[in-house]
Amino acid sequence: MTEFQVFGDWMKGVQSTMEDALASFLPSAAQTPTRLHEAMRYAVLDGGKRVRPLLVFAAGDLFGAGTDLLARAAAAVEMIHAYSLVHDDMPCMDDDELRRGKATVHVKYDEATALLVGDALQTQAFLVLSEGGHIEDAARAVAMMRLLAQASGSVGMCGGQAIDLASVGLNLSLGELEQMHRLKTGALLRASVLLGAMAGKSLRDEEVAALDAYSSAIGLAFQVIDDVLDATADSATLGKTAGKDAADHKPTYVSILGLEQSRALAEQLRTDAHKALMPFGENARRLRDIADLIVQRKA
């Protein structure tokens, strides 16, 4: 069996574990208010590559974390991610009708329900991460919740989205574009890596620095490839509306650098991610595999 096949089996195992975990951590659709709970489950389950949970589990494997805490941390990150997609797709933001190959939540239900789904998923994420008596070290538990809060708030994901909305039609510099995406996309990817690592142990400064360098590289690479795919793939392949960034006059890596230079940048960022993991040796192979997955993905 090749290393790629081994990684593929591991990835499918994590994705299956996460589908079960998310289904158990979300409120039942039979529980009142049933429509809201049904919509929350619709937004989260049966879709997506689960890149953030993969990062949580890969970093957790590196630092010997237990499966229960990893599942909770990964579910919390994925709920934050799902809530952001629900809100991003609404008419007041990106106004999209397709996500993960199916109707967006505000189309399937209505705008008010979509707004509440995002609100509820955000709070559910912290509920899941805080429950279960799974961390003996209370200070580390608080640090993990603080990390997730910062990554998803105004100095992280939400801040990046605010900059994105304010940048429509503007000619951003490459540095300004990178700053936007370090917040909008990179902050939650970084949190995924660090939450997985923190689930295993308290981290030394040099370990945090190495993981930060890795996270920074894959965070930008993820967005570069997103921009390339938006310009080159079709909606059926992507599971969302293709070509929307150009149609909405959004600044992207492709609009600034062009396709070939964008692809070259993604490859350089993959190299940077691999270099950042060198202090961990072969034990970091899953994190390296995910860097490869991010850059080589077709959807």
Side-chain angles (χ1 to χ4, degrees), residues 1-15:
M1 183 177 288
T2 67
E3 179 62 24
F4 177 79
Q5 288 172 320
V6 170
F7 172 65
D9 290 343
W10 175 85
M11 181 172 65
K12 289 177 183 177
V14 172
Q15 290 168 334

Side-chain angles (χ1 to χ4, degrees), residues 206-218:
E206 57 269 28
E207 291 171 331
V208 172
L211 294 175
D212 269 344
Y214 167 81
S215 302
S216 177
I218 64 164

Side-chain angles (χ1 to χ4, degrees), residues 99-220:
R99 174 69 68 178
R100 293 175 172 174
K102 58 186 183 181
T104 50
V105 175
H106 72 274
V107 171
K108 174 73 173 177
Y109 294 89
D110 54 63
E111 289 183 32
T113 299
L115 182 65
L116 291 172
V117 163
D119 294 344
L121 284 175
Q122 181 177 199
T123 56
Q124 189 73 15
F126 290 98
L127 182 65
V128 168
L129 189 56
S130 68
E131 283 183 339
H134 48 279
I135 306 178
E136 294 182 2
D137 182 352
R140 183 150 45 110
V142 171
M144 291 174 72
M145 287 185 279
R146 186 172 186 270
L147 171 65
L148 184 57
Q150 286 183 321
S152 52
S154 64
V155 295
M157 181 186 70
C158 286
Q161 177 69 357
I163 296 171
D164 189 12
L165 292 170
S167 300
V168 173
L170 301 182
N171 294 317
L172 298 187
S173 68
L174 184 59
E176 290 171 331
L177 186 67
E178 288 182 352
Q179 175 60 20
M180 177 175 77
H181 289 304
R182 286 189 191 280
L183 299 179
K184 182 180 176 182
T185 304
L188 202 57
L189 292 174
R190 174 183 181 269
S192 302
V193 173
L194 291 179
L195 284 172
M198 292 168 68
K201 55 170 281 189
S202 296
L203 301 176
R204 301 192 306 271
D205 289 345
E206 57 269 28
E207 291 171 331
V208 172
L211 294 175
D212 269 344
Y214 167 81
S215 302
S216 177
I218 64 164
L220 290 182

Side-chain angles (χ1 to χ4, degrees), residues 55 62-63 182 190 193-194 204-219 267-289 291-292:
L55 287 169
L62 179 59
F63 290 100
R182 286 189 191 280
R190 174 183 181 269
V193 173
L194 291 179
R204 301 192 306 271
D205 289 345
E206 57 269 28
E207 291 171 331
V208 172
L211 294 175
D212 269 344
Y214 167 81
S215 302
S216 177
I218 64 164
E267 287 295 340
Q268 180 58 55
L269 290 165
R270 175 164 66 148
T271 298
D272 293 344
H274 281 232
K275 287 181 179 178
L277 296 173
M278 288 178 65
F280 303 116
E282 181 59 22
N283 291 334
R285 67 187 182 281
R286 293 301 178 220
L287 288 173
R288 282 193 294 272
D289 289 338
D292 295 342

